[in-house]
Amino acid sequence: MMTQDDLKRAVAQAAIEYVPVDSIVGVGTGSTANFFIDELAKIRHRIRGAVASSEASAQRLKGHGIEVLSLNDAGDLPVYVDGADEITRHLHMIKGGGGALTREKIVAAASKKFICVCDASKLVDVLGKFPLPVEVIPMARSSVARQLVKLGGQPKLREGFTTDNGNVILDVHGLQIMNPVELESTLDHIAGVVTNGLFARRAADVLLLGTAEGVKTITV
Ligand code: 5RP
């Protein structure tokens, strides 16, 4: 029987096909992204380096002898590979379970193609069962939480967690997100919100979904 880790490894291997020779690769965060980093290590002589979306991924890349560049030095990237907490068939996602959503959104925005790597458990019809992470400037925590309640959510502070950018995360429970593009914009306009975990305006371009029957490639 294939374990969830087997499925993650399979999609990580499949994502290597999307990495151009001699490129600088955008690299995401999380357990599936970690499998991708391990696969990238096997072809490290064929790439110039990587831009990481978190300190944790940067450390893992460096541990494999892969050069890590800042996004400012790298410029635009051909490809960004990352996991998701939930994804729909429209390739809209909830991300930020690992708390790296802001840097993930920045690197994704600077990348030509977003390849999402997931095991089958992440595919959903409607986003929102997974609590939506919202990164917030610490002094705005309570005021942002009140706005989120007005929008129908139940925000909970992620206890004992500070982002790579020195901010806090509110995980918003109880949402059924029928229009992710609209909600992403609405949340971004609340004063004190740095980033929200909806990746809908810039959705993934390709989903590599790990299933018991093999890796499925889904595009919109
Ligand atoms: C981190 C993320 C990750 O992509 C997401 O949490 C998925 O992680 P995993 O591959 O471990 O399930 O958005 O901020």
Side-chain angles (χ1 to χ4, degrees):
M1 224 205 54
M2 278 183 98
T3 64
Q4 208 171 11
D5 276 356
D6 292 332
L7 300 180
K8 290 178 183 181
R9 195 175 299 111
V11 290
Q13 280 165 355
I16 291 291
E17 300 294 316
Y18 291 84
V19 175
V21 174
D22 237 13
S23 60
I24 300 173
V25 186
V27 175
T29 299
S31 59
T32 319
N34 281 346
F35 279 110
F36 175 68
I37 293 171
D38 297 348
E39 292 302 320
L40 209 51
K42 298 178 188 166
I43 61 149
R44 69 173 176 278
H45 300 298
R46 282 182 13 215
I47 60 169
R48 273 162 62 203
V51 171
S53 67
S54 63
E55 298 297 339
S57 290
Q59 287 313 319
R60 195 176 184 97
L61 286 158
K62 286 180 195 162
H64 281 309
I66 298 170
E67 189 183 349
V68 176
L69 296 96
S70 77
L71 183 62
N72 289 322
D73 291 335
D76 283 349
L77 309 174
V79 69
Y80 178 68
V81 179
D82 198 359
D85 299 303
E86 285 183 346
I87 186 162
T88 69
R89 288 191 181 277
H90 300 289
L91 307 193
H92 296 148
M93 296 166 277
I94 285 183
K95 291 184 47 53
L101 61 163
T102 297
R103 295 188 185 193
E104 289 173 350
K105 214 177 253 198
I106 293 169
V107 183
S111 301
K112 207 156 175 222
K113 252 192 180 173
F114 188 137
I115 313 296
C116 184
V117 281
C118 288
D119 65 81
S121 69
K122 307 289 184 63
L123 187 65
V124 298
D125 289 326
V126 178
L127 297 173
K129 199 161 175 221
F130 188 94
L132 177 66
V134 179
E135 180 166 349
V136 176
I137 302 279
M139 71 164 285
R141 188 190 69 222
S142 299
S143 61
V144 169
R146 287 194 294 276
Q147 298 296 320
L148 293 170
V149 169
K150 280 186 197 156
L151 290 169
Q154 294 134 34
K156 287 204 175 68
L157 179 67
R158 200 177 291 185
E159 296 283 351
F161 186 84
T162 306
T163 69
D164 283 349
N165 316 303
N167 298 314
V168 296
I169 292 204
L170 296 173
D171 290 305
V172 189
H173 296 248
L175 295 173
Q176 261 215 328
I177 304 170
M178 304 313 285
N179 191 337
V181 173
E182 190 181 279
L183 185 62
E184 185 178 359
S185 292
T186 303
L187 295 174
D188 274 351
H189 286 102
I190 298 174
V193 168
V194 177
T195 310
N196 73 82
L198 281 170
F199 284 55
R201 274 176 297 172
R202 200 276 181 258
D205 299 295
V206 179
L207 166 60
L208 299 174
L209 191 70
T211 76
E213 295 83 47
V215 176
K216 291 190 177 152
T217 304
I218 300 171
T219 53
V220 182

